[in-house]
Amino acid sequence: MAQEYNIEQLNHGRKVIDFMRWDTLAFIISALLIVASVAIVGVRGFNWGLDFTGGTVIEINLEKPADLDTLRVALVKAGFDEPLVQNFGSSRDVMVRMAPVQGPAGQELGNKVVSVINETAQQNATVKRIEFVGPSVGSDLAQAGAMALLSALIAILIYIGFRFEWRLALGTVLALAHDVIITCGILALTHIEIDLTIVASLMSVIGYSLNDKIVVSDRIRENFRKIRRGSSYDITNVSLTQTLSRTLITSLTTLAMILILFIFGGALLKGFSLTMLIGVTIGTISSIYVSSALALKLGMKREHMLVQKVEKEGADQPSIMP
């Protein structure tokens, strides 16, 4: 028996984009990216920052702005291994971050760095602050960062499991893991320094991606309950089409703000903004081709949504004592 409807009728006569046409190709690409990301992290590893490895941070005030690359080269020639030199606050405030070094400690180390900078920049610099991060503290921070990400994913799994039917919930959680793994793979590939700012950006990526996936999943659930005709495939495409404009506007606005941070935010925000750029882009795509497509592959049907609605309404009804 032929269908008595066309898919545009399910969307009030408006055009429906066939997103699920490319779901198999999207799964293959996502699987390859995840395998590649895990391999890169395993082989190349992360470029851990001083927050996790330990080291020294020296804040210096200059009389006038100086070229940071010139200062960095001078410090390397003086025997400091891969110092990170960057401005903070103003062009006359310089932060020097170094890995643990053998030899002078405390004020002596600061005086040596200042003497190199004074000789290079031909001015008198003053030390504002010297901070040491021990390796044991760095190890504790690394464990705390990993536990924060893991705890966030577990809490999300519990929340999504209660809110949505398990196929939608599983698709959402796996899509979030997909976003984090690929983002971490790109961070390892580009050798971006991993510090607490990067951990914060990963948490932000999880939050942003989760919000986008909940909006899409909620529309899919509601359309299964409202639209009485059409297959699961058709209703999924209708739902994704209806949320497309919202997704694009939100994502493009967010990416524009992050791009401004990346360009004008200085060295201190480069890692944060780049991680957000990667995560938001991957998260937007995975809302369609991982979360929704996976739920459809798992056999999501209208009956499942109706059963969940009945169970929820039954749980909300007050009990009547005889």
Side-chain angles (χ1 to χ4, degrees):
M1 182 177 178
Q3 288 183 319
E4 298 178 355
Y5 67 92
N6 59 56
I7 191 170
E8 283 76 16
Q9 290 175 335
L10 303 181
N11 194 30
H12 308 290
R14 293 188 289 269
K15 180 177 175 59
V16 176
I17 302 174
D18 190 2
F19 288 100
M20 294 298 101
R21 177 183 178 184
W22 309 104
D23 59 350
T24 301
L25 177 61
F27 282 142
I28 294 173
I29 294 175
S30 293
L32 291 175
L33 288 175
I34 289 175
V35 172
S37 298
V38 172
I40 290 171
V41 172
V43 173
R44 191 174 173 86
F46 291 115
N47 178 24
W48 297 107
L50 298 184
D51 290 334
F52 300 115
T53 62
T56 306
V57 177
I58 304 175
E59 293 181 5
I60 300 172
N61 180 258
L62 303 176
E63 293 179 329
K64 57 183 178 180
D67 182 67
L68 298 184
D69 290 332
T70 302
L71 298 180
R72 188 179 300 108
V73 171
L75 289 171
V76 171
K77 290 181 178 179
F80 297 101
D81 185 27
E82 296 185 359
L84 176 64
V85 183
Q86 60 193 34
N87 290 118
F88 73 99
S90 71
S91 58
R92 294 191 301 109
D93 293 317
V94 175
M95 177 185 294
V96 180
R97 305 180 67 181
M98 299 176 295
V101 294
Q102 300 294 330
Q107 192 62 42
E108 293 182 20
L109 177 62
N111 291 336
K112 183 177 180 180
V113 171
V114 169
S115 65
V116 173
I117 291 178
N118 285 337
E119 182 179 350
T120 304
Q122 298 297 314
Q123 57 179 294
N124 292 320
T126 56
V127 177
K128 296 176 60 178
R129 180 174 69 96
I130 299 179
E131 181 178 341
F132 298 93
V133 179
S136 61
V137 176
S139 176
D140 292 341
L141 287 174
Q143 294 178 9
M147 288 301 298
L149 290 174
L150 182 60
S151 300
L153 289 175
I154 293 175
I156 289 168
L157 174 60
I158 296 173
Y159 167 73
I160 296 294
F162 277 107
R163 173 154 185 184
F164 295 108
E165 197 268 338
W166 73 266
R167 293 168 182 83
L168 275 174
L170 181 60
T172 299
V173 173
L174 290 180
L176 289 174
H178 161 277
D179 300 344
V180 173
I181 291 172
I182 295 179
T183 303
C184 288
I186 296 176
L187 291 176
L189 178 64
T190 55
H191 215 54
I192 293 175
E193 182 178 327
I194 307 297
D195 54 17
L196 292 179
T197 305
I198 299 297
V199 175
S201 66
L202 287 174
M203 298 290 286
S204 300
V205 166
I206 291 176
Y208 178 89
S209 184
L210 174 64
N211 176 70
D212 194 37
K213 289 167 176 55
I214 285 180
V215 170
V216 174
S217 298
D218 194 58
R219 181 58 62 90
I220 291 174
R221 179 183 60 180
E222 293 305 313
N223 278 341
F224 267 111
R225 295 172 180 174
K226 292 179 180 178
I227 299 176
R228 298 302 178 183
R229 299 180 298 170
S231 63
S232 299
Y233 182 98
D234 292 337
I235 294 177
T236 301
N237 278 326
V238 170
S239 302
L240 293 172
T241 301
Q242 291 175 349
T243 57
L244 179 62
S245 59
R246 177 263 174 202
T247 299
L248 289 178
I249 292 173
T250 305
S251 298
L252 291 177
T253 303
T254 305
L255 288 173
M257 296 301 102
I258 298 172
L259 189 60
I260 292 173
L261 279 179
F262 180 76
I263 297 174
F264 302 106
L268 200 60
L269 292 177
K270 286 286 185 186
F272 176 87
S273 53
L274 182 58
T275 304
M276 287 292 294
L277 278 173
I278 297 168
V280 169
T281 302
I282 295 174
T284 301
I285 297 173
S286 70
S287 297
I288 299 173
Y289 285 115
V290 178
S291 176
S292 305
L294 186 57
L296 186 62
K297 290 290 186 183
L298 290 172
M300 177 178 59
K301 296 180 180 178
R302 177 182 291 104
E303 293 79 8
H304 302 143
M305 305 300 171
L306 296 178
V307 168
Q308 187 196 33
K309 182 179 181 181
V310 170
E311 291 176 348
K312 183 177 180 180
E313 290 177 348
D316 292 338
Q317 294 294 326
S319 58
I320 302 176
M321 299 298 293

